[in-house]
Amino acid sequence: QTLLSVAAVSGVTVNWYDAAVGGVILQSGSATYTVTASGIYYAEAVDTATGCVSSTRVPINASASTFPEAPISSGDVILIAKLMKQAYQ
């Protein structure tokens, strides 16, 4: 997972979409959006007082390089903890 974020000024909220025009709204009312897949996501500014939306959406590129590598094994930490416990008994 990767957290995308945009800087929004006071009185502005952000909606996240999967397309530059139209598309599916992925999240509304947040300057951040957590993605689980690479791709281009689009941020749209919304004036909270008037409800007016920006005329264009800002593309945010979440490339594969922004995602951390998956752990090889979740058992590694448990094994180390058991070995340390045995060493101090």
Side-chain angles (χ1 to χ4, degrees), residues 30-66:
S30 178
T32 61
Y33 178 62
T34 301
V35 298
T36 56
S38 329
I40 299 176
Y41 298 85
Y42 298 86
E44 171 187 81
V46 180
D47 185 307
T48 55
T50 65
C52 291
V53 299
S54 55
S55 58
T56 58
R57 296 176 185 163
V58 176
I60 311 292
N61 187 0
S63 67
S65 64
T66 62

Side-chain angles (χ1 to χ4, degrees), residues 65-89:
S65 64
T66 62
F67 292 90
E69 290 185 29
I72 295 171
S73 168
S74 61
D76 295 344
V77 175
I78 294 169
L79 177 61
I80 291 169
K82 284 181 180 178
L83 290 173
M84 290 180 69
K85 182 179 178 183
Q86 289 173 356
Y88 290 103
Q89 286 182 341

